Each structure stands twice: as structure tokens, then as C-alpha cells.
Amino acid sequence: MTTIAPPRTATLQIIDTPDGDFAVLADPRGRVLVSGWTSDPDAVLARLRPDRRPVEIVAAETAAADAVRAYYAGDLRAIDRVEVAQHGTALQLAGWQALRRIAPGEPLTYAGFASALGSPSAVRAAASICARNAVALFVPCHRVRRADGTMGGFAWGTGVKQRLLARESAA
């Protein structure tokens, strides 16, 4: 995961998945800037701060699309190989890296995620890191849920989160 300047041009691809349309916005190097379950380019851009948005968006194939297809075909680790580029604080960057280490089928609670970050009492900060994750699926914030087992929030809807967790626990 790297911190980058906003690209002038980015590639947008919409992929059909069992959970609905999935958008991938990638920089010229193929790193995913934003991803999530939508076909609306405005919803994709809304996940980026205005000063981080590309000037031009081109509809084309992205390298990440193969990993999305492989994930939905059962290779749950395919998403781990996709390079992402997010801008954030040192704590956010560390949190997003930690989310990538959560194994499919082994979700954590927000308290467990806070502990994994080395701050067991920072549950709100852990939840905030999940909420600010712009590259859903590739940085699997869906693998964190409430202590009572309920879904908690998810930018793309708790139904999608629940289906992702069910798919991963069944594998």
C-alpha cells in the first residue's frame, strides 16, 4: 500500500458479480484507488476527497478485474495480489495493511481489530479505519464486525457484507 499524488487519468471498469455491479477505479499503474458495489461513477468518486480525484476517467479493462472474477469463482486469496493506493494518516495506512492480513473465513470484531493494531481500547478508531477504506474487497474491511456478531456498517450495504462473509466462511 502506498501514498500517492492523485493521477491525472484513471481507468474505470464495472464488473458484473453475484453481489451486483462492482466498480474498480485504477491509476495508470493499475493500482486500485476506489472499488465497491456500484455502477455509478459519481458514487465511486465520492469515496475520494475532491483533491484526490483524477481529472479524467476512461472506461477500460483493469488488471484488478481478473482478481475480482477469481474471488467470486472461489479463489478468495486472489484479491490479496492486487496493488492498491490509498491516501491517509499513518494509522489509517497501518490499519488498511492490517485488514489485508485478516484471513477469509476468520473475521474479527472491531475490538479484535483494534487489538491487532496494538491499541485494544481504540475500537472507535478501528471502526473509522474500516469506514474510510476506499478499496472495498481488496482491503477487506467486510471482515470486521460487531462483537455481538452483527454486521455493523458497510459503505456498500450490510447485505453485501453478509454475503461476502458467508461466501468466505463456506470456503
Side-chain angles (χ1 to χ4, degrees):
M1 216 170 301
T2 58
T3 301
I4 60 161
R8 178 162 175 72
T9 303
T11 302
L12 178 65
Q13 181 176 8
I14 308 298
I15 305 153
D16 183 39
T17 76
D19 293 319
D21 288 338
F22 185 80
V24 174
L25 183 69
D27 71 8
R29 292 179 44 195
R31 298 175 298 184
V32 177
L33 302 169
V34 179
S35 55
W37 289 266
T38 185
S39 60
D40 180 2
D42 291 334
V44 172
L45 288 175
R47 298 293 296 167
L48 292 173
R49 288 186 353 209
D51 65 328
R52 308 299 302 166
R53 294 177 186 162
V55 175
E56 180 182 5
I57 296 176
V58 178
E61 183 80 15
T62 63
D66 288 339
V68 174
R69 291 182 191 106
Y71 172 87
Y72 277 102
D75 180 3
L76 302 178
R77 290 294 194 169
I79 59 174
D80 298 343
R81 297 183 289 273
V82 174
E83 191 174 352
V84 301
Q86 294 200 85
H87 179 77
T89 66
L91 179 61
Q92 288 169 330
L93 293 170
W96 294 327
Q97 288 174 347
L99 285 168
R100 292 193 98 175
R101 292 190 294 270
I102 301 172
E106 298 178 20
L108 295 177
T109 63
Y110 289 104
F113 180 49
S115 291
L117 293 174
S119 300
S121 63
V123 176
R124 284 183 171 223
S128 177
I129 288 167
C130 291
R132 286 184 168 74
N133 175 34
V135 290
L137 190 62
F138 304 109
V139 173
C141 57
H142 66 272
R143 294 182 185 153
V144 182
R145 58 185 177 192
R146 292 182 177 150
D148 66 4
T150 59
M151 295 297 109
F154 190 59
W156 306 105
T158 56
V160 171
K161 182 175 183 174
Q162 190 169 28
R163 289 188 298 276
L164 292 170
L165 290 172
R167 181 177 290 106
E168 293 177 359
S169 68

